[in-house]
Amino acid sequence: MALPVAFFAVFFAYPVAAIVARGLRVDGVWQLGRLVDVLAQPDIRHVLWFTTWQALASTALTLLVALPGAYVFARYDFPGKQVLRAVVTVPFVLPTVVVGMAFLALVGRGGLLDDLWGLRFDTTVWAILLAHVFFNYAVVVRTVGALWAQLDPRQEEAARMLGASRLAAWRKVTLPALGPAVAAAALMVFLFTFTSFGVVQILGGPTFSTLEVEIYRQTSEIFDLSTAAVLTLVQFLAVGAILVLHAWTVRRRESTLRLVDASRTARRPRGAGEWALLGSVLATVAVLLVLPLAVLVGRSLDAPGFAYYEALTHDDGGTFLVAPIHAIGTSLQYAVAATGIAVLIGSLAAAALARRDAGRLVRGFDALLMLPLGVSAVTVGFGFLIALDKPPLDLRGSWVLVPLAQALVGAPFVVRTMLPVLRAVDARLREAAAVLGASPWRVWREVDLPIVRRALLVAAGFAFAVSLGEFGATVFIARPDNPTLPVAVARLLGRPGDLNYGQAMALSTILMVVCAVALLVLERLRTDRTGEF
């Protein structure tokens, strides 16, 4: 736990504490009364209420829509499965600003639905909820599906042979085993929607505002750092309470499971019911996920030929110091570095948390690991600039600052993906290896690693995808001569004119392609035969 604790203390707790202290201290005196003043404002209370209930609604809707997809990807084998899995994950790595723009082009004024049927609901709650499902569908499919694919189906079959109905067998055998993974996925979805920024800012208009949007408005538009600090503290405390509740309700629910090679559990659908389920999932993916992406690609091709893509190779001397096309290489380099950091930190933390004899202090750190997903990215970005500007941590001019910020978001995904599988490993396998003379390192290499290799690759893929799409903190610390893809898209969208809008859509399309290729490579790596355990 030493390295994960040090990493989160230095690069998360310290910057966040620094920015909050800067906002609540005036001439060295703490202005704690500001907390009451801010929370007493009716508009702030309305923001708190909307932030909470839309996050709950988004989480419930995402689980309802995505759990059938998790089952289909885990249990069925069909042509194009690997490609479709990558397509499902691409929306998650898109910057939230681009997701908002894609749905605005779909459901807004002059959008596809408006042109075809006169339907427009861009400034309604439904547009926000659907965009959140679009963004978080992959979280449920990949987090729950990764464990579901490795559950031995013979356990449920044994219950059926003993007289249980299909529903009873699933409810009493499979669902309890999936409980930790479902809870982890629901927690991640809630945290992402609770701190939603780009989607609400674009689709909500002036009517709807989350805490994250309000923090950004107070910081960059009104320049009221004290109000922003109060809202950050409220968000921090709310997320902390949610994580404590989550740890209290689901802790120790993991059980020793019989895990098998995922390739042996997937089979071709049989019967009309299974084919109908597969068809409904494919239709959901096509309408909810592929259609907005297709609109995005169509917008990038509105100009004759490939004019928008060609414009990316030129430096206009205004928006960027380099041609926008350079953001591709920069993003890939940062993402690889951030993935390495996140996998190292997350794997160590997951290994420590998975121990059955872990103390309360170690178990408490499980909840703290999720805080970077629930704290304002605006706060983290500003905190990096304020806190990491003096020796020995003067990193403002270093390229490593961006991967560190991205790894903060990626590491919780590594932990949440690996932890259920690590806790499900039968401890007797490790004990038998130790009795036979294996060292702790060899026990990990020979027993744990073959079992968790699939989860490790899934975790690495998530960390890489999150790093590519991270925007909130990166926008404040990325250097003008090395912008990432999300930062470049946001800057282009912020400038008027059809050319800038088209370039933003073109750059977003390139980001989609890069992510899809990376995820397809990952799918090839993670489908190797690992044997049965």
Side-chain angles (χ1 to χ4, degrees), residues 66-78:
L67 280 177
Y71 174 78
V72 166
F73 279 100
R75 293 303 196 197
Y76 292 166
D77 187 17
F78 52 91

Side-chain angles (χ1 to χ4, degrees), residues 14-65:
Y14 175 49
V16 171
I19 191 65
V20 172
R22 179 71 64 92
L24 294 180
R25 290 182 64 181
V26 178
D27 297 327
V29 179
W30 287 92
Q31 305 293 320
L32 298 181
R34 184 64 177 155
L35 284 167
V36 179
D37 295 339
V38 171
L39 296 179
Q41 300 175 18
D43 56 337
I44 296 298
R45 292 202 301 269
H46 176 73
V47 168
L48 290 172
W49 166 245
F50 176 74
T51 300
T52 303
W53 85 259
Q54 67 83 23
L56 290 171
S58 297
T59 303
L61 188 60
T62 302
L63 290 174
L64 180 65
V65 174

Side-chain angles (χ1 to χ4, degrees), residues 56-114:
L56 290 171
S58 297
T59 303
L61 188 60
T62 302
L63 290 174
L64 180 65
V65 174
L67 280 177
Y71 174 78
V72 166
F73 279 100
R75 293 303 196 197
Y76 292 166
D77 187 17
F78 52 91
K81 179 179 177 179
Q82 294 182 13
V83 175
L84 192 62
R85 192 193 300 271
V87 170
V88 164
T89 309
V90 167
F92 181 73
V93 306
L94 293 177
T96 54
V97 175
V98 176
V99 174
M101 291 298 294
F103 270 81
L104 191 64
L106 182 64
V107 303
R109 177 178 299 174
L112 181 63
L113 298 184
D114 190 16

Side-chain angles (χ1 to χ4, degrees), residues 183-370:
L187 176 64
M188 287 188 284
V189 173
F190 182 85
L191 289 179
F192 272 113
T193 53
F194 189 81
T195 59
S196 182
F197 174 57
V199 169
V200 177
Q201 187 180 38
I202 293 175
L203 297 178
T207 307
F208 304 107
S209 178
T210 58
L211 273 173
E212 187 82 358
V213 174
E214 190 64 23
I215 291 172
Y216 177 81
R217 190 174 72 88
Q218 295 289 339
T219 302
S220 61
E221 297 179 7
I222 304 178
F223 304 107
D224 188 350
L225 194 57
S226 63
T227 299
V230 170
L231 296 179
T232 297
L233 190 59
V234 170
Q235 190 179 50
F236 186 86
L237 293 175
V239 171
I242 293 167
L243 294 175
V244 169
L245 178 63
H246 172 267
W248 180 71
T249 54
V250 306
R251 187 178 58 198
R252 293 294 174 260
R253 288 183 59 187
E254 293 90 349
S255 58
T256 299
L257 308 173
R258 180 175 175 83
L259 302 181
V260 299
D261 178 13
S263 63
R264 300 184 182 182
T265 63
R267 57 173 176 78
R268 300 280 291 185
R270 295 192 294 262
E274 294 186 355
W275 281 107
L277 176 60
L278 175 60
S280 64
V281 169
L282 294 179
T284 300
V285 171
V287 174
L288 184 63
L289 305 184
V290 177
L291 183 58
L293 298 181
V295 172
L296 204 62
V297 175
R299 294 289 183 178
S300 72
L301 298 173
D302 278 347
F306 295 90
Y308 291 147
Y309 290 91
E310 184 180 355
L312 295 176
T313 62
H314 303 300
D315 177 20
D316 61 2
T319 307
F320 305 100
L321 297 179
V322 295
I325 199 70
H326 288 286
I328 300 174
T330 301
S331 289
L332 290 175
Q333 293 173 11
Y334 286 159
V336 170
T339 300
I341 297 172
V343 168
L344 174 63
I345 298 298
S347 298
L348 289 174
L353 293 169
R355 293 182 61 89
R356 299 292 177 180
D357 56 350
R360 289 186 177 181
L361 184 61
V362 175
R363 294 198 301 267
F365 189 64
D366 185 10
L368 296 178
L369 287 171
M370 298 297 292

